[in-house]
Amino acid sequence: MFAINHAATALIIKKVFKDVPIIWLLISVQFMELLWVSLNFLGIEKTTTDEEVKYVGNIHLSYMPFSHSIVTMSGVGIAAWLVIAKLFGLPEVGLAVGLGILSHLVLDLITHSQDIALAPFINQPKFGLGLYFKKPIPAFFLEIAYGVVCWWIYEGSFTLLIMIILFNLANLSMFFKAIPGLEQKMAHRPLLITTVVLIQIIVTLIMVDLLS
Ligand SMILES: [Zn+2]
């Protein structure tokens, strides 16, 4: 899922865990993505593209067994819960952060092409419903609807709703092959992709924090 809607997930968790500062939730929902950015910059995980990038389906998250595998994401989620709850004595924060980390796995499994491994060093099979590759236009509407539902559950302000919609609309060209956008410049430039994702993570985190 795109950054704005991972960030919007923090709103649902905040609704349930009212006493947990939203900044912890915003970091938790993006924790595995921040790890993915770091590992891509370090050259440990890899992103590739087709000759031309017309939409998200032309971008391949070809190697990310550490940041995006079912075992590592679930493991980090459970470990974060246990450490924060038991070691720091903050059970509410621990559970909320653990759920935030796990939410990223669930949302990526729904939207991603089959690029999520079971565990590091186990290359096949890979998981993902493949919406981005097979059904990008329904994926776009699913993303925007999901962001709005998060806002609705949270009972956020009108400004927060507009921000969620605008950030989703900013991704329009990523889902519609016929609409040109920044993605055209991403062919064979994986670090540009990583940088754009990092900027989206930071900006959406700040915006949701400010407007929630
Ligand atoms: Zn992800």
Side-chain angles (χ1 to χ4, degrees):
M1 197 157 256
F2 278 66
I4 181 60
N5 301 315
H6 280 301
T9 305
L11 296 170
I12 305 182
I13 305 173
K14 175 70 179 168
K15 180 80 182 175
V16 180
F17 297 88
K18 290 192 168 57
D19 296 334
V20 178
I22 195 160
I23 187 68
W24 292 110
L25 306 176
L26 286 163
I27 293 168
S28 74
V29 294
Q30 290 288 25
F31 184 76
M32 302 311 280
E33 209 85 307
L34 288 166
L35 187 64
W36 175 83
V37 168
S38 311
L39 293 176
N40 265 268
F41 279 130
L42 290 170
I44 296 169
E45 294 196 343
K46 289 199 168 39
T47 304
T48 55
T49 70
D50 294 331
E51 279 306 308
E52 268 189 299
V53 178
K54 290 186 171 174
Y55 80 119
V56 64
N58 295 131
I59 296 170
H60 307 293
L61 307 172
S62 38
Y63 187 72
M64 49 174 193
F66 306 107
S67 69
H68 285 67
S69 85
I70 293 172
V71 166
T72 49
M73 295 169 95
S74 315
V76 171
I78 293 167
W81 169 42
L82 290 176
V83 167
I84 297 169
K86 305 287 178 202
L87 228 61
F88 294 96
L90 299 166
E92 285 259 299
V93 181
L95 188 55
V97 166
L99 287 172
I101 294 170
L102 277 179
S103 76
H104 194 107
L105 171 65
V106 174
L107 293 172
D108 277 2
L109 280 172
I110 293 169
T111 51
H112 275 214
S113 307
Q114 291 191 334
D115 50 27
I116 298 175
L118 185 62
F121 313 112
I122 299 177
N123 235 344
Q124 291 295 334
K126 283 195 174 141
F127 299 89
L129 288 184
L131 285 188
Y132 284 161
F133 181 66
K134 288 185 278 195
K135 303 246 178 252
I137 296 170
F140 171 75
F141 288 106
L142 176 78
E143 292 240 354
I144 201 164
Y146 175 77
V148 171
V149 166
C150 291
W151 166 84
W152 178 73
I153 291 171
Y154 180 69
E155 298 177 275
S157 67
F158 183 66
T159 322
L160 179 63
L161 172 65
I162 296 299
M163 190 274 290
I164 290 171
I165 292 173
L166 286 179
F167 271 92
N168 268 285
L169 290 176
N171 294 326
L172 196 72
S173 67
M174 292 297 286
F175 292 91
F176 290 77
K177 289 180 201 176
I179 300 175
L182 179 63
E183 68 279 358
Q184 290 174 323
K185 306 247 180 273
M186 291 176 175
H188 301 305
R189 294 170 81 186
L191 291 187
L192 174 62
I193 299 168
T194 320
T195 307
V196 169
V197 171
L198 177 60
I199 293 168
Q200 285 191 344
I201 292 171
I202 294 169
V203 173
T204 55
L205 188 154
I206 293 170
M207 291 307 289
V208 173
D209 186 32
L210 288 176
L211 297 176
S212 64

